[in-house]
């Protein structure tokens, strides 16, 4: 049968045990793992003699469902959970040290499962090994630059404090005659510092959108602005969505991940193809597939990415709908509507009307400090227009005198 990328990787890793020269401890890696500094043995084995195991996500929090990798993450979580093993994801595109004896046990226990089901070979190994031999391992947050390659792939759960390897995608680098853009954002001669700056710029609007919602959702709950059950009922199946906010605040050139609980009653008990999608001002946009197998009941947490690229600084109407076998149920007549307020930066958000001042300050400070510390005062001025003229004069006088003081020292 035709296998996806993760299934092929599982067979490839399992075949390593056929190598007669394989040591008891070996480094397993991919061909796109590029070191960005000198790597010592301490990266793989701690000074105390523990194997370092680098994770980047909790499998229980992985809700994406668009790729074969996503599918492998979900399968891995279920398989490990059924066996009461730990549930972290270790496939962060960097070399890791592997113990041959433990790896042999993993292959023996999971080989047949991997033939039938797409699983993540890195996460299977480390979660099994750490669950069985916790005293041998030291779990650490991953140190891989450019993982993910794009901020639209997923939201960071754990962010590296330092970097040792780069996840190298040739498609991320411009070639001769090409220009830098959102998909090709590196040049081969970029230093690590320059690459970090590029990644920081990429992630800023996404971080801000996520931060605003994390602050705002408490106010939404307080005002009871979370929708009840969204019902999509047909002769073949009933689909229900929960935990949908009535209002979303976003930044331009970002992506908001609408996290929902999805429950499906499959009346036919046959495989069904469902797509959950959204419309903006009546125009169909992004969708995510939900694979309903031949079971009568399906229950999962899903993420529907809402893209704001190209949206202006204004309020839009979003409608949620589903497609069954590519046929829309409600389309532009969907009764389930979300108000989306899009902004170019946090200083434009009049959050004082919908959130308390402390929340407002947290968001404005987090945004401006990423760009320039002096912007903190300037952006705060925008939020208090009645006093803007006075504060602006004080701001100019303050910085003018600071410069004079420095020059006279």
């Amino acid at each position: 049968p035709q296998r996806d990328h993760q299934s092929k990787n599982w067979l490839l890793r399992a075949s390593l045990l056929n190598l007669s020269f394989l040591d008891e401890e070996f480094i397993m890696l991919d061909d796109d793992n590029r070191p960005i500094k000198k790597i010592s043995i301490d990266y793989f084995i701690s000074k105390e003699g523990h194997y370092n195991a680098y994770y980047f996500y909790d499998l229980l929090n992985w809700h994406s469902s668009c790729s074969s990798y996503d599918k492998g993450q979900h399968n891995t979580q279920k398989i490990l959970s059924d066996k009461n093993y730990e549930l972290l994801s270790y496939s962060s595109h960097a070399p890791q040290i592997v113990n041959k004896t433990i790896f042999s046990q993993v292959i023996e226990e999971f080989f047949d499962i991997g033939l039938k089901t797409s699983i993540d070979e890195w996460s299977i190994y480390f979660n099994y090994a750490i669950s069985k031999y916790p005293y041998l391992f030291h779990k650490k947050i991953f140190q891989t630059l450019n993982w993910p390659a794009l901020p639209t792939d997923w939201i960071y759960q754990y962010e590296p404090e330092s970097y040792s390897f780069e996840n190298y995608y040739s498609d991320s680098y411009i070639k001769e005659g090409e220009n830098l853009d959102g998909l090709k954002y590196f040049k081969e001669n970029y230093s690590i510092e320059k690459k970090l700056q590029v990644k920081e710029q990429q992630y800023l609007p996404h971080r801000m959108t996520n931060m605003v919602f994390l602050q705002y959702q408490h106010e939404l709950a307080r005002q009871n602005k979370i929708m009840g059950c969204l019902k999509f009922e047909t002769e073949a199946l009933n689909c229900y969505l929960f935990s949908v906010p009535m209002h979303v605040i976003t930044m331009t050139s970002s992506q908001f991940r609408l996290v929902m609980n999805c429950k499906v009653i499959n009346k036919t008990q046959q495989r069904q193809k469902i797509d959950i999608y959204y419309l903006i001002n009546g125009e169909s946009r992004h969708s995510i597939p939900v694979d309903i197998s031949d079971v009568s009941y399906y229950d999962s947490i899903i993420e529907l990415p809402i893209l704001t690229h190209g949206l202006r600084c204004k309020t839009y109407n979003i409608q949620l709908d589903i497609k069954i076998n590519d046929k829309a149920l409600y389309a532009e007549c969907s009764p389930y509507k979300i108000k989306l307020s899009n902004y170019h930066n946090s200083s434009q958000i009049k959050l004082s009307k919908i959130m308390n001042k402390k929340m407002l300050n947290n968001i404005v400070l987090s945004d401006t400090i990423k760009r320039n510390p002096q912007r903190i005062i300037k952006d705060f001025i925008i939020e208090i227009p009645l006093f803007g003229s006075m504060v602006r004069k004080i701001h100019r006088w303050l910085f003018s005198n600071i410069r004079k003081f420095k020059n006279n020292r």
Side-chain angles (χ1 to χ4, degrees):
Q2 187 174 7
R3 301 184 183 277
D4 63 23
H5 183 68
Q6 286 220 297
S7 295
K8 292 176 181 177
N9 276 349
W10 171 252
L11 291 176
L12 176 64
R13 305 298 182 184
S15 66
L16 291 176
L17 293 175
N18 295 322
L19 300 176
S20 59
F21 55 83
L22 194 65
D23 292 335
E24 178 62 15
E25 294 169 337
F26 63 94
I27 306 299
M28 191 161 74
L29 71 161
D30 299 314
D31 59 1
D32 53 7
N33 302 159
R34 287 194 171 185
I36 57 178
K37 66 181 183 182
K38 186 176 181 180
I39 306 298
S40 68
I41 190 64
D42 291 346
Y43 176 86
F44 299 105
I45 302 179
S46 71
K47 294 179 180 178
E48 297 77 23
H50 297 112
Y51 296 129
N52 291 329
Y54 295 90
Y55 64 91
F56 80 101
Y57 229 91
D58 294 311
L59 285 169
L60 285 172
N61 294 330
W62 192 270
H63 305 312
S64 298
S65 58
C66 298
S67 67
S68 60
Y69 180 77
D70 295 329
K71 183 178 179 181
Q73 295 297 95
H74 293 302
N75 292 340
T76 301
Q77 181 270 317
K78 184 179 186 308
I79 290 166
L80 290 171
S81 183
D82 288 344
K83 292 178 175 290
N84 299 316
Y85 293 148
E86 286 196 10
L87 298 171
L88 290 173
S89 184
Y90 290 88
S91 50
S92 58
H93 281 254
Q96 302 230 43
I97 190 167
V98 174
N99 179 283
K100 181 179 178 180
T101 299
I102 300 176
F103 190 62
S104 300
Q105 296 172 10
V106 170
I107 299 304
E108 182 177 355
E109 180 166 344
F110 293 96
F111 183 75
D112 290 340
I113 295 174
L115 291 178
K116 302 173 184 176
T117 306
S118 171
I119 55 178
D120 178 351
E121 74 276 14
W122 296 92
S123 300
I124 288 290
Y125 168 77
F126 280 106
N127 284 293
Y128 170 92
I130 292 170
S131 297
K132 292 286 189 179
Y133 309 100
Y135 49 86
L136 291 179
F137 291 86
H138 182 200
K139 292 183 287 188
K140 303 183 71 173
I141 294 174
F142 76 117
Q143 299 179 13
T144 311
L145 176 67
N146 213 32
W147 179 251
L150 295 171
T152 51
D153 292 339
W154 63 80
I155 297 173
Y156 272 121
Q157 182 176 5
Y158 303 102
E159 291 201 46
E161 295 182 358
S162 61
Y163 296 90
S164 297
F165 291 90
E166 177 188 341
N167 175 38
Y168 180 83
Y169 284 116
S170 60
D171 290 343
S172 301
Y173 286 78
I174 65 168
K175 299 176 178 61
E176 187 175 353
E178 295 179 333
N179 296 318
L180 293 169
D181 57 29
L183 298 177
K184 294 180 179 293
Y185 42 81
F186 285 160
K187 294 181 179 180
E188 290 289 353
N189 63 351
Y190 275 4
S191 66
I192 298 304
E193 290 73 21
K194 177 63 176 177
K195 290 180 180 179
L196 289 174
Q197 290 177 6
V198 171
K199 299 306 289 186
E200 187 62 45
Q201 286 181 320
Q202 278 186 339
Y203 273 89
L204 183 56
H206 299 269
R207 284 196 179 100
M208 289 309 306
T209 292
N210 190 47
M211 183 181 296
V212 168
F213 182 73
L214 289 176
Q215 297 281 0
Y216 187 30
Q217 67 178 344
H218 299 289
E219 184 67 14
L220 289 170
R222 189 184 69 79
Q223 295 186 12
N224 197 26
K225 290 188 175 181
I226 306 295
M227 294 186 197
C229 176
L230 281 63
K231 301 178 181 179
F232 304 92
E233 299 178 333
T234 70
E235 293 183 0
L237 58 82
N238 294 342
C239 176
Y240 304 103
L241 301 177
F242 302 87
S243 304
V244 178
M246 296 180 182
H247 186 201
V248 171
I249 300 171
T250 59
M251 301 289 144
T252 296
S253 300
S254 71
Q255 176 179 265
F256 173 74
R257 290 180 174 269
L258 181 59
V259 180
M260 302 173 284
N261 179 216
C262 175
K263 302 180 186 292
V264 177
I265 297 175
N266 185 1
K267 301 176 184 179
T268 66
Q269 296 189 23
Q270 297 177 355
R271 184 174 293 275
Q272 301 279 355
K273 181 186 177 184
I274 297 181
D275 291 286
I276 298 174
Y277 74 105
Y278 69 94
L279 305 92
I280 291 186
N281 293 344
E283 181 182 345
S284 180
R285 296 295 181 93
H286 191 72
S287 67
I288 56 168
V290 179
D291 185 21
I292 308 298
S293 60
D294 54 352
V295 295
S296 59
Y297 180 71
Y298 171 90
D299 186 356
S300 182
I301 304 296
I302 62 171
E303 286 183 352
L304 177 61
I306 296 176
L307 303 174
T308 66
H309 292 270
L311 296 188
R312 294 186 295 171
C313 183
K314 58 177 288 186
T315 297
Y316 294 84
N317 289 319
I318 287 183
Q319 294 171 282
L320 295 182
D321 191 27
I322 70 168
K323 294 179 182 178
I324 302 176
N325 297 322
D326 298 322
K327 184 178 180 180
L329 184 58
Y330 289 121
E332 66 273 8
C333 297
S334 173
Y336 304 116
K337 300 178 181 179
I338 302 172
K339 182 170 73 172
L340 183 146
S341 299
N342 189 62
Y343 298 91
H344 294 308
N345 56 67
S346 65
S347 64
Q348 296 173 325
I349 306 174
K350 303 306 177 184
L351 292 175
S352 54
K353 297 180 181 179
I354 52 178
M355 296 161 70
N356 64 48
K357 192 171 182 179
K358 181 179 179 181
M359 292 179 181
L360 170 65
N361 289 341
N362 286 342
I363 293 167
V364 173
L365 289 176
S366 296
D367 186 11
T368 54
I369 204 165
K370 291 283 188 182
R371 292 180 278 127
N372 187 331
Q374 294 185 10
R375 289 291 300 176
I376 295 175
I377 296 177
K378 294 181 181 179
D379 283 348
F380 186 70
I381 289 172
I382 297 175
E383 299 297 334
I384 49 174
L386 294 177
F387 303 98
S389 177
M390 182 188 302
V391 177
R392 205 173 283 115
K393 290 178 182 179
I394 295 172
H395 172 263
R396 293 196 189 103
W397 177 88
L398 178 62
F399 281 94
S400 174
N401 281 274
I402 288 174
R403 292 191 192 99
K404 290 179 181 178
F405 175 76
K406 287 182 177 179
N407 292 333
N408 293 331
R409 286 176 63 182

